[in-house]
C-alpha cells in the first residue's frame, strides 16, 4: 500500500473513531507497527494529527462530505429510519447539513411532506420526488461540504418555521452540549434551532463524546436525541436533567 493511501486511511480511522493505538492501526492496515509510527510522525509534521502515548489523535477540522459519507453508514441508516418514523404526513421537516441528514432524506421518499434544507445532497436526493415540497435555503456554497451558509441562509431561516428540525453534530460533551468543528456552520445551526418546533439531534455512538471546538447549543435546546447505542452515563444524566428523550434504535431511554 502506498504511503499516501495509508495516510488517508489513518486519518479517516482517527476522525471516525477517535484516538487509536499504533497496534490497532497496524492491524487495520495490515502493515508493521514501525511503518505506522513513521506515518504518524509524517502526519504530525503536516499538522494533521497529534501523537499521544502509544498512538495518535486527529486534529479537529472540517472533513469533506464525500469522505464522511463512507463512514458508519449502517449506524446512520438505523438512526435515519427511526427519525423518519417520528414525522407525520403533511408536516414540515428542516434538515441540517451532514451525512446523517442525507441518510434521513433517503427515508422520506414517497411521503407527503415539506422539506427545508441547506444541505445540497439532500436537495439532490429529493429534487425529483414530486410528493415532497422542497425548499432550498439560500447562501454561500461550501462545495466540498455540500452546504449553504452565511447571512442569507440565516435570513431565510428567520422567515420559516418547521414542525421538526433534525440536527447533526460533531460531538456531544458529557454535559450535553452539542459541538461542531465547523465554526461557519454554527450560526446556521442556531438559526435552525430557532426555526424548529421539535429539535431532534441525530448522533451515532461515535459522537459521544465526539469532538468540536464550537458550541452549537445546550441540552435545554433539544427535545430528542436519536442514536444507535446507549449513551454514556454522564451524558445521559445531563440529557435527563434537561428533559431530553433519548431514542436508541428501536427502544426509548429517558
Amino acid at each position: 500500500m502506498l504511503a499516501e493511501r495509508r495516510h488517508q486511511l489513518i486519518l479517516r480511522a482517527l476522525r471516525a473513531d477517535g484516538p487509536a493505538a499504533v497496534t490497532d492501526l497496524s492491524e487495520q492496515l495490515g502493515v508493521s507497527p514501525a511503518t505506522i509510527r513513521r506515518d504518524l510522525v509524517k502526519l504530525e509534521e503536516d499538522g494533521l494529527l497529534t501523537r499521544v502515548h502509544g498512538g495518535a489523535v486527529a486534529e479537529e477540522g472540517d472533513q469533506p462530505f464525500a469522505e464522511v459519507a463512507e463512514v458508519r453508514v449502517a449506524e446512520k441508516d438505523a438512526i435515519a429510519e427511526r427519525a423518519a418514523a417520528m414525522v407525520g404526513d403533511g408536516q414540515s421537516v428542516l434538515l441540517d447539513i451532514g451525512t446523517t441528514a442525507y441518510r434521513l432524506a433517503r427515508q422520506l421518499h414517497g411521503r407527503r411532506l415539506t422539506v427545508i434544507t441547506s444541505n445540497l445532497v439532500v436537495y439532490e436526493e429529493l429534487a425529483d420526488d414530486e410528493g415532497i415540497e422542497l425548499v432550498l435555503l439560500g447562501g454561500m456554497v461550501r462545495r466540498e461540504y455540500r452546504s449553504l451558509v452565511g447571512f442569507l441562509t440565516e435570513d431565510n431561516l428567520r422567515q420559516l418555521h418547521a414542525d421538526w428540525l433534525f440536527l447533526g453534530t460533531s460531538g456531544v460533551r458529557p454535559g450535553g452540549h452539542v459541538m461542531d468543528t465547523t465554526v461557519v456552520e454554527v450560526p446556521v445551526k442556531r438559526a435552525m434551532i430557532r426555526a424548529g418546533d421539535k429539535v431532534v439531534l441525530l448522533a451515532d455512538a461515535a459522537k459521544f463524546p465526539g469532538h468540536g471546538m464550537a458550541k452549537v447549543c445546550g441540552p435545554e435546546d433539544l427535545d430528542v436525541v436519536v442514536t444507535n447505542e446507549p449513551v454514556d452515563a454522564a451524558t445521559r444524566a445531563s440529557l435527563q436533567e434537561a428533559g431530553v428523550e433519548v431514542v436508541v434504535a428501536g427502544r426509548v431511554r429517558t
Side-chain angles (χ1 to χ4, degrees), residues 76-98:
K76 292 172 185 176
D77 279 340
I79 291 168
E81 183 177 358
R82 183 63 185 84
M86 297 178 176
V87 181
D89 286 344
Q91 291 191 312
S92 54
V93 178
L94 180 54
L95 294 183
D96 193 10
I97 68 158

Side-chain angles (χ1 to χ4, degrees), residues 80 83-84 87 92-98 100-108 113-123 125-126 132 134-137 146-148 153 157 162 164-168 188-189 192 200 202:
V87 181
S92 54
V93 178
L94 180 54
L95 294 183
D96 193 10
I97 68 158
T100 308
Y102 161 61
R103 305 308 298 189
L104 173 53
R106 291 169 59 92
Q107 297 283 337
L108 300 179
L113 301 168
T114 298
V115 175
I116 306 162
T117 191
S118 60
N119 188 326
L120 293 173
V121 184
V122 167
Y123 167 77
E125 177 68 28
L126 298 177
I132 292 178
L134 189 56
V135 179
L136 182 64
L137 299 167
R146 311 305 304 277
S147 65
L148 294 155
T153 318
L157 285 163
W164 295 91
L165 163 62
F166 292 98
L167 188 70
V188 174
K189 289 177 181 286
M192 285 183 169
V200 182
L202 308 176

Side-chain angles (χ1 to χ4, degrees), residues 83 86 164-167 198-202 222-226:
M86 297 178 176
W164 295 91
L165 163 62
F166 292 98
L167 188 70
K198 291 284 189 180
V199 179
V200 182
L201 182 69
L202 308 176
L222 305 175
D223 295 292
V224 184
V225 172
V226 183

Side-chain angles (χ1 to χ4, degrees), residues 38-238:
R38 287 194 295 272
D39 290 338
L40 297 182
V41 169
K42 176 62 169 63
L43 290 167
E44 185 175 48
E45 290 173 352
D46 292 341
L48 297 172
L49 57 75
T50 299
R51 285 186 297 155
V52 297
H53 180 69
V57 58
E59 289 296 316
E60 295 184 357
D62 294 351
Q63 293 175 259
F65 186 97
E67 180 179 315
V68 184
E70 299 176 4
V71 177
R72 300 189 298 277
V73 174
E75 291 88 339
K76 292 172 185 176
D77 279 340
I79 291 168
E81 183 177 358
R82 183 63 185 84
M86 297 178 176
V87 181
D89 286 344
Q91 291 191 312
S92 54
V93 178
L94 180 54
L95 294 183
D96 193 10
I97 68 158
T99 57
T100 308
Y102 161 61
R103 305 308 298 189
L104 173 53
R106 291 169 59 92
Q107 297 283 337
L108 300 179
H109 280 295
R111 304 283 301 276
R112 185 173 59 84
L113 301 168
T114 298
V115 175
I116 306 162
T117 191
S118 60
N119 188 326
L120 293 173
V121 184
V122 167
Y123 167 77
E124 292 165 1
E125 177 68 28
L126 298 177
D128 295 328
D129 192 323
E130 295 183 359
I132 292 178
E133 294 288 340
L134 189 56
V135 179
L136 182 64
L137 299 167
M140 293 290 296
V141 177
R142 301 182 75 233
R143 288 180 176 83
E144 279 197 81
Y145 309 103
R146 311 305 304 277
S147 65
L148 294 155
V149 298
F151 75 93
L152 292 173
T153 318
E154 296 164 50
D155 282 350
N156 283 178
L157 285 163
R158 279 191 280 270
Q159 309 304 316
L160 297 168
H161 175 81
D163 295 310
W164 295 91
L165 163 62
F166 292 98
L167 188 70
T169 182
S170 298
V172 183
R173 298 300 190 203
H177 298 294
V178 179
M179 309 300 291
D180 205 275
T181 58
T182 313
V183 174
V184 72
E185 299 281 2
V186 171
V188 174
K189 289 177 181 286
R190 290 176 177 168
M192 285 183 169
I193 290 169
R194 291 190 292 271
D197 189 16
K198 291 284 189 180
V199 179
V200 182
L201 182 69
L202 308 176
D204 63 66
K207 302 297 178 66
F208 298 93
H211 56 280
M213 64 178 178
K215 178 183 172 183
V216 175
C217 68
E220 66 278 1
D221 295 307
L222 305 175
D223 295 292
V224 184
V225 172
V226 183
T227 186
N228 63 300
E229 291 183 11
V231 176
D232 65 273
T235 307
R236 185 169 65 249
S238 299

